[in-house]
Every structure is written in C-alpha cells, then in structure tokens.
Amino acid sequence: QVQLVESGGGLVQPGGSLRLSCAASGSIFSINAMGWYRQAPGKERELVADISSGGSTNYADSVKGRFTISRDNAKNAVSLQMNSLKPEDTAVYYCKGTNIVDVSHYRYLAVWGQGTLVTVSS
C-alpha cells in the first residue's frame, strides 16, 4: 500500500516562510508527477504547484515567485518552500502523487496525503 505523509505545516506571520515536506512510503517503483494542492475554508481544492519526474514545474499564478517546489526522486519525496506568505495562503495543503507504480507493477492513478494546515496570521 502506497501512502503519502506530509509535514511542516503550522502558524506563521504574514511575510514569513514555511517548508512543507511529503514522503511516499511503500514498495514504490516509480512516481510520475508529485504536487501540492490546497483547500481553504469554503473553497475548492486548487493546484499550488507540481513537478514531473524529469523536474518540470508548474505553479499557480498566485504563488509564482514566492513558492518553490522541489523533488528528491531517490527518496520519493517532494517539498514546497513557501516564502512571503500571505493570509490568503491559509489552507490545508495536500500532497498528491500521480501514476505511482509499485514493485508489483500495480499502478495507482492518484494518491493523496492526509493534509497539513498552514495558517498565516498575525
């Protein structure tokens, strides 16, 4: 069974920084894309950033220039460095892995982490 576990959320003041981490566990052979999504109260879940196995990145316009996604393929891990945080960044952040293949060649189309809360407030 493949699982994704996030860490690094918390409370930060506007203008501050946080780093989120996500690690995949299980007998993993490969992971295609990994990404971060967020869901604020009363809003739909939205893409924050994602990264392919080759390192190509994609960011939401609202976080470009402030957030940086990175990936360690050897550790099946992805991180999100968040700088210049704003109150509107407050949300539960979810890690997602897409097209995960395990050592038995079973393919998981999408696996989500449990989410980690980021609160930006003074």
Side-chain angles (χ1 to χ4, degrees):
Q1 186 75 15
V2 172
Q3 293 183 319
L4 298 180
V5 179
E6 303 103 334
S7 60
L11 173 64
V12 63
Q13 292 187 341
S17 299
L18 276 178
R19 185 176 181 86
L20 305 183
S21 298
C22 171
S25 64
S27 300
I28 296 170
F29 177 73
S30 66
I31 303 176
N32 186 0
M34 300 188 78
W36 290 94
Y37 291 70
R38 68 186 180 188
Q39 187 167 18
K43 295 187 176 181
E44 294 186 353
R45 191 172 298 188
E46 63 176 2
L47 172 70
V48 177
D50 61 18
I51 183 168
S52 71
S53 57
S56 297
T57 59
N58 178 45
Y59 293 92
D61 287 343
S62 59
V63 307
K64 283 181 180 177
R66 300 188 297 121
F67 292 9
T68 302
I69 190 170
S70 60
R71 177 171 176 171
D72 185 335
N73 288 331
K75 296 181 178 180
N76 294 318
V78 64
S79 297
L80 185 70
Q81 178 65 43
M82 306 185 294
N83 299 328
S84 303
L85 283 160
K86 304 175 181 180
E88 51 263 43
D89 294 318
T90 296
V92 177
Y93 284 71
Y94 298 89
C95 176
K96 179 185 179 183
T98 304
N99 278 332
I100 300 175
V101 180
D102 68 15
V103 295
S104 301
H105 302 290
Y106 182 84
R107 185 181 300 273
Y108 298 79
L109 293 179
V111 178
W112 291 90
Q114 82 286 355
T116 185
L117 178 62
V118 172
T119 303
V120 184
S121 175
S122 55

